[in-house]
Amino acid sequence: MSGRYLLRKGAQALLTIAFILLLNFLLFRMMPGSPDRVLARNMPAAAHQQLQERWGLNKPLIPDQLVAYVTATVQGDLGDSYKFRGQSVVDVLSQRIWPTVLLFGTGELIAVLVGLSLGAYSGWKRGGPVDYVGNGISLILYSMPYFVIGMILLIVFSAGLGLFPTSGMYTIAATYHSPLDQLLDLASHFALPLTTVAIGLIGEYSILMRSSIIETLGEDYITTARAKGLPDGAVLRDHALPNALLPAVTLVAINLGYVIAGAITVEVVFGWPGIGTLTVDALNARDYPILQGIFLLLSVSVVLANFVADLVYGALDPRVRT
Amino acid sequence: MTATSARPADLRAERMAARIRGVQDFVRRFARRRDGLVGVAILVVFGALALAPSLFVGPLQTATTASGTSLQAPGLSHLFGTDELGRDLLNLTVHGTRISMTIGFLATLVTILIGATIGIVAGYLGGTTDTVLMRITDFFLVLPTFVLALILAPIVLDLVGADAEIAGFRATLFVIVLVIGVTSWASTARIIRAQALSVKERAFVARARVIGAGGGHIMLRHILPNVLNLIVANVVLTFAGAILTETVLAFVGLGDPLDPSWGQILNAAEGAGAPGLGAWWYILPPAGSVVLVVLAFTLVGTALDDVLNPRLRTRR
């Protein structure tokens, strides 16, 4: 990979993050009910002016306030939560991020493995029974918001069959005799949300992979491989799959932004104590500092994921290394 | 757009005939796609429900006009069962159709309007304008726009105030429309720009410029008609996306309980603990409607893509 490619992609990612910071700054200056405006109603003008001076609110929005905001953000100071009193946004976010990483990391892994294999197989056997049924199911799953999948699973397996708990990460106020007990409790709470995430993503990824492999099968080098008399398995394994995987994997990274939307709702359905439930709680309480922090966290993660995907693509495909 | 210059009448008639032939050809090819027709049929049904919900199920039931008791399972008196307030779910879902489809339609209009304008202007003008506009577009493409919509919606809602009412719809509806539109135009702009770039190099654009046509005229009369097929295909997919986005936004609590969309009904179901209580009838009608409509749009979209895009016709 050439240094120029790396540099260009890196600069793009940095520029995007700078845009995100600017947007975050402007958006939340627009918001109603800022502490400053609330205070202005309840205090004498002189005292209010003094406060404004202390907070730097009398200075111009750009550059002074923007510089102050960016400096604080870069130093890891995202302000304090309204709802969780006495806790900084960074504290709240760092408590909530691990359940989300666990849920979506595992779900993403399962979905990539199953979804890509399923898509590759049904694209390879296009028009066959697996393709027909698989594609139909994928299309329906694709049209279904994740939380609906979760609700259906809850109705069938928790309310109907009573196999799994309905909410949370652990049984409330449970005492465990051994770490194994605790792990089992976690697993029973984890099963349904994980299945929901995996099912939702499998539909998406198998559609991606299916069209990618169909595209690849139309290429001349596949015809060449067949003409050389290679067996079907070798054509698929050595010629079609490696080339079809590349765009599919990139699309997986690009799709991360949409996955996040699903993440938020799945967590709400299962009361999973991650970033998703935090978002909805913060929305209902209009806890703007938290929302601002979540927006920053999620969008920067997506930008970084795209950057990594670009690098992987560049490393694997010599054609884009310019 | 209707005022045409003094063109020979027979030429105009000929163009008209060609256009009608094109439409007939399109209809004939589309009619051969069974999946597309199924999609259209589903959309027609939901369109009818959206246009006159009261005609089918009477006025929207509220907590005071509820016709049943709390969480009744489906039966003869309530085909789809009732919610926790005793409201008939068939009634709610059909009225939800009106809200969801209206938001989907308006949000699509806004999205396409922004996307097509930016795409055509960037593609036609080129140069610095193009660079700047495409930088912004790329930014919106990378950004998790749903999260942006999620924080934008409450801010705008608080600014506007949720109780205002415009044209029989509450203000929340328009805020959601605006937020969806503002956050989802980027891919449309990219696609339209690519086409505009190639259209502007064609001879008729150069001819128009030679006889003194201005930029605005060329973009409106020459570029726009030639990117129209892309816009049509895009409308279908955008509509489906808008309905999904609205459903999720309403589900996380940004909808309006007094103007219940499908997502809002699902939000209420979640709030009432319907999944844990096993009240499947509370979830199935609104969720099924979302899936059916989005699926229908996807089916129509792929069929349209095949019909409008000659390169794809041999594939699949």
Side-chain angles (χ1 to χ4, degrees):
Chain A
M1 202 183 314
S2 71
R4 247 184 69 215
Y5 176 77
L6 196 79
L7 212 65
R8 194 162 53 96
K9 289 295 172 192
Q12 264 173 18
L14 276 180
L15 187 68
T16 312
I17 291 178
F19 259 134
I20 290 172
L21 279 176
L22 182 66
L23 187 65
N24 215 356
F25 171 74
L26 291 178
L27 265 182
F28 287 87
R29 288 302 165 283
M30 243 168 64
M31 76 182 191
S34 79
D36 176 49
R37 256 170 263 168
V38 173
L39 285 178
R41 265 186 264 137
N42 304 328
M43 86 184 3
H48 179 231
Q49 205 163 15
Q50 215 172 0
L51 258 184
Q52 279 204 317
E53 251 162 60
R54 207 176 95 205
W55 288 339
L57 290 172
N58 55 346
K59 296 202 183 109
L61 206 58
I62 295 171
D64 293 58
Q65 288 194 34
L66 178 63
V67 168
Y69 166 74
V70 172
T71 316
T73 305
V74 170
Q75 287 168 350
D77 176 8
L78 300 181
D80 296 320
S81 162
Y82 295 168
K83 181 170 184 270
F84 304 94
R85 290 196 182 263
Q87 279 184 296
S88 75
V89 171
V90 173
D91 284 345
V92 177
L93 286 183
S94 53
Q95 285 161 23
R96 295 298 200 95
I97 196 166
W98 295 114
T100 301
V101 169
L102 176 69
L103 179 56
F104 281 86
T106 325
E108 187 86 34
L109 198 69
I110 295 175
V112 165
L113 290 178
V114 178
L116 294 189
S117 332
L118 194 70
Y121 186 82
S122 56
W124 178 247
K125 303 257 177 193
R126 185 147 61 113
V130 173
D131 182 33
Y132 202 70
V133 174
N135 205 29
I137 294 178
S138 297
L139 264 182
I140 292 174
L141 288 179
Y142 199 69
S143 324
M144 199 181 275
Y146 292 3
F147 67 87
V148 171
I149 303 174
M151 286 175 146
I152 294 173
L153 288 180
L154 261 184
I155 288 177
V156 175
F157 293 101
S158 291
L161 302 172
L163 291 177
F164 297 102
T166 52
S167 171
M169 198 167 172
Y170 295 101
T171 309
I172 294 166
T175 47
Y176 301 107
H177 301 295
S178 67
L180 185 69
D181 261 10
Q182 190 178 359
L183 202 65
L184 279 177
D185 190 36
L186 174 65
S188 75
H189 282 83
F190 191 41
L192 286 186
L194 179 65
T195 315
T196 307
V197 173
I199 289 180
L201 289 174
I202 285 172
E204 225 165 300
Y205 293 167
S206 81
I207 289 181
L208 283 181
M209 187 63 190
R210 178 179 178 273
S211 56
S212 178
I213 205 130
I214 287 175
E215 193 116 337
T216 312
L217 287 178
E219 299 279 352
D220 289 341
Y221 54 77
I222 299 291
T223 317
T224 311
R226 284 220 170 97
K228 283 194 300 188
L230 288 182
D232 267 3
V235 174
L236 177 65
R237 201 178 51 244
D238 300 334
H239 296 262
L241 266 188
N243 289 300
L245 263 176
L246 211 53
V249 168
T250 321
L251 280 174
V252 168
I254 291 173
N255 259 1
L256 204 69
Y258 300 97
V259 171
I260 286 171
I264 290 170
T265 59
V266 172
E267 286 187 5
V268 173
V269 171
F270 292 100
W272 192 255
I275 297 286
T277 40
L278 178 66
T279 309
V280 174
D281 289 347
L283 270 180
N284 291 331
R286 293 291 192 267
D287 190 342
Y288 285 112
I290 291 277
L291 287 176
Q292 200 174 10
I294 289 174
F295 178 62
L296 192 67
L297 173 74
L298 295 183
S299 38
V300 169
S301 324
V302 169
V303 172
L304 290 181
N306 275 287
F307 178 57
V308 171
D310 276 339
L311 294 192
V312 171
Y313 207 119
L316 293 179
D317 189 339
R319 282 170 302 182
V320 298
R321 266 178 248 161
T322 45
Chain B
M1 289 238 320
T2 47
T4 37
S5 48
R7 206 181 268 136
D10 52 333
L11 185 65
R12 207 180 304 166
E14 200 174 299
R15 281 186 46 167
M16 202 61 184
R19 197 165 290 171
I20 290 172
R21 264 200 310 279
V23 171
Q24 280 173 339
D25 189 39
F26 166 78
V27 169
R28 202 169 328 114
R29 276 210 303 262
F30 190 85
R32 257 182 263 146
R33 296 281 313 219
R34 212 179 331 144
D35 52 351
L37 289 182
V38 170
V40 169
I42 297 174
L43 291 181
V44 166
V45 171
F46 277 99
L49 293 181
L51 280 179
S54 303
L55 206 66
F56 297 96
V57 292
L60 176 67
Q61 294 188 3
T62 60
T64 45
T65 61
S67 60
T69 52
S70 184
L71 285 180
Q72 272 176 284
L76 282 180
S77 56
H78 298 282
L79 286 177
F80 283 24
T82 62
D83 73 353
E84 82 278 13
L85 298 171
R87 293 177 296 180
D88 184 69
L89 268 162
L90 181 61
N91 178 289
L92 286 183
T93 307
V94 171
H95 280 276
T97 309
R98 174 171 155 266
I99 305 293
S100 285
M101 295 291 264
T102 306
I103 293 181
F105 177 71
L106 294 178
T108 306
L109 273 188
V110 177
T111 307
I112 297 290
L113 200 69
I114 303 177
T117 308
I118 290 188
I120 291 177
V121 169
Y124 179 72
L125 291 183
T128 322
T129 320
D130 184 33
T131 314
V132 171
L133 287 179
M134 282 306 110
R135 271 266 144 266
I136 299 173
T137 307
D138 284 346
F139 173 63
F140 273 93
L141 274 178
V142 175
L143 208 67
T145 43
F146 175 76
V147 184
L148 180 61
L150 210 59
I151 58 168
L152 203 56
I155 293 178
V156 182
L157 270 179
D158 289 352
L159 281 175
V160 176
D163 286 327
E165 204 165 296
I166 308 163
F169 291 104
R170 292 163 59 79
T172 311
L173 187 138
F174 295 99
V175 171
I176 298 290
V177 163
L178 209 68
V179 165
I180 295 177
V182 165
T183 53
S184 47
W185 52 270
S187 59
T188 310
R190 266 260 171 235
I191 296 168
I192 303 279
R193 169 184 172 269
Q195 178 96 344
L197 274 180
S198 88
V199 171
K200 83 164 175 188
E201 299 301 337
R202 305 248 291 269
F204 58 81
V205 174
R207 260 181 245 140
R209 210 176 295 135
V210 166
I211 59 169
H217 176 86
I218 293 180
M219 284 190 255
L220 220 59
R221 296 300 305 269
H222 297 285
I223 311 271
L224 180 65
N226 285 292
V227 297
L228 214 57
N229 61 338
L230 276 182
I231 292 182
V232 170
N234 222 268
V235 159
V236 176
L237 294 178
T238 309
F239 209 130
I243 288 201
L244 274 179
T245 309
E246 191 280 330
T247 304
V248 178
L249 285 178
F251 178 72
V252 299
L254 290 168
D256 189 331
L258 298 176
D259 251 358
S261 67
W262 291 326
Q264 180 64 42
I265 301 174
L266 289 166
N267 170 276
E270 174 68 25
L277 292 170
W280 54 269
W281 61 88
Y282 200 159
I283 290 154
L284 217 55
S289 305
V290 173
V291 173
L292 271 178
V293 167
V294 174
L295 191 65
F297 274 118
T298 314
L299 291 177
V300 174
T302 26
L304 268 184
D305 215 25
D306 273 7
V307 174
L308 291 177
N309 196 344
R311 267 185 312 127
L312 282 174
R313 221 172 286 157
T314 46
R315 266 202 242 137
R316 288 182 68 91

